[in-house]
Amino acid sequence: MTRISALGHHQPEHVMTNEDLTRLVDTSDEWIVRRTGISARRIARDESVTDLAAAAAGKALAGSGIDPAAIGQVIVATCSAIDRVPSIAAQVAGRLGIPDAVAFDLNNGCAGFTTALATADHTVRAGAARHALVIGAEKMSDVTDWSDRTSCVLLGDGAGAAVVSAGEPDGIGPVVWGSDPARRDTVRMRDAWQPRFAQDGQSVFRWATTELAPFAREACERAGIGTHDLAGIVTHQANLRIIEALVRQLDAPQAVVAQDVVESGNTSAASVPLALAKLVERRAVPAGAPVLLFAFGGGLSWAGQVVRCP
């Protein structure tokens, strides 16, 4: 059995408002809010992806009470890291005093954290590690085209982390994951030396709001619960309009729906753990309650599972 034993999150101090963006591109607060629901985002000025990841992971590790030497696996989900080798995960392990864990980065776009969480879950269930540290960390401001008003209004920086541990009660449900490679270019980040985020926004919106709900429901079915039993729903914080449209298709009247996108923007692989950690921190969802995690994005890919809140 596996469970999330602790969570942590970290965001840069600098807040970029919609009003700030009007000085960079032809836009307005009304235009951004109406189309995305976003009012602000955090931008890292002096922090790297490693800095963000280590800060969130350090909080999760401290909250778990687990000796760093007991961590057997470190995974960092990111698509914005500039460093290739050593991996961000190896750098985080070094900073936190984790001596000999297998450490690697995972890139599955915005679905990176839920993919990494499933990977850690499988590792612990197989007995290859007793504790794993899973982190979603992004510095999207490094890959933002600040002249493109359709994308620069969306993106923000941050990190969230979870400690996955063996032991009762069983708290991580089976994963539902997949991809649609035929539409792989709908979200893209190319040019290795100066990558820039770009997407076909309308195509992503249609895909997310018309094709993904069945996979979210399947994650609940595999966990042995109905959507009406959910205490919380944390989707990828891509766009408030997508979140609202997706949740409407799920019969989950009791669920608290994460809307961290409003104040944090789209933080890609960091968005699910960041939003989940905030819900747990303010006890918006009771300990032990079932929460659906469901992320989607570049690839086009998706991954989700039901977890029990620590």
Side-chain angles (χ1 to χ4, degrees):
M1 295 184 179
T2 62
R3 60 189 174 87
I4 294 177
S5 53
L7 294 161
H9 66 90
H10 175 75
Q11 290 180 280
E13 290 186 7
H14 179 64
V15 177
M16 178 179 281
T17 65
N18 291 346
E19 185 62 31
D20 294 329
L21 283 168
T22 65
R23 292 187 278 273
L24 298 177
V25 291
D26 180 17
T27 191
S28 68
D29 176 69
E30 185 274 337
W31 188 91
I32 298 170
V33 171
R34 177 156 44 88
R35 287 166 173 77
T36 72
I38 299 169
S39 61
R41 69 285 298 144
R42 300 291 186 97
I43 302 297
R45 288 175 164 173
D46 301 318
E47 294 174 285
S48 66
V49 174
T50 302
D51 295 330
L52 298 169
K59 294 174 183 176
L61 190 57
S64 72
I66 295 168
D67 188 326
I71 299 295
Q73 183 180 64
V74 180
I75 310 175
V76 173
T78 184
C79 65
S80 60
I82 302 302
D83 294 346
R84 300 293 189 265
V85 177
S87 66
I88 304 301
Q91 295 181 60
V92 169
R95 290 194 188 188
L96 298 183
I98 299 171
D100 54 10
V102 58
F104 58 92
D105 295 348
L106 183 155
N107 180 1
N108 197 24
C110 302
F113 176 81
T114 46
T115 303
L117 181 63
T119 303
D121 172 50
H122 298 163
T123 298
V124 174
R125 288 183 189 275
R130 185 161 181 81
H131 304 283
L133 184 56
V134 185
I135 308 154
E138 302 283 18
K139 188 177 180 182
M140 297 304 291
S141 59
D142 272 351
V143 295
T144 299
D145 180 353
W146 293 104
S147 67
D148 177 9
R149 75 169 188 165
T150 64
S151 63
C152 74
V153 301
L154 298 173
L155 306 173
D157 304 333
V163 176
V164 174
S165 300
E168 299 181 4
D170 203 7
I172 301 177
V175 68
V176 173
W177 52 9
S179 65
D180 183 359
R183 288 187 275 189
R184 62 192 177 277
D185 286 334
T186 305
V187 180
R188 54 203 174 273
M189 199 187 298
R190 297 229 172 96
D191 185 346
W193 302 113
Q194 194 172 10
R196 289 291 178 263
F197 174 89
Q199 67 174 357
D200 300 329
Q202 289 301 316
S203 296
V204 172
F205 185 91
R206 285 193 297 271
W207 171 71
T209 57
T210 62
E211 299 185 35
L212 294 182
F215 299 119
R217 284 193 289 269
E218 184 182 351
C220 295
E221 292 167 4
R222 290 193 182 187
I225 68 169
T227 56
H228 58 278
D229 297 319
L230 291 171
I233 298 175
V234 182
T235 70
H236 167 46
Q237 303 291 292
N239 176 316
L240 186 59
R241 308 310 165 213
I242 291 177
I243 295 169
E244 292 170 339
L246 182 57
V247 170
R248 275 197 300 270
Q249 297 173 64
L250 305 175
D251 181 19
Q254 310 299 323
V256 175
V257 179
Q259 297 184 350
D260 187 53
V261 66
V262 174
E263 60 184 33
S264 299
N266 178 343
T267 55
S268 188
S271 77
V272 166
L274 184 60
L276 177 63
K278 288 183 178 181
L279 284 184
V280 171
E281 183 177 64
R282 65 176 185 263
R283 288 269 66 109
V285 179
V291 175
L292 171 67
L293 309 183
F294 191 76
F296 48 87
L300 291 170
S301 59
W302 61 89
Q305 59 273 99
V306 173
V307 303
R308 298 280 173 172
C309 280

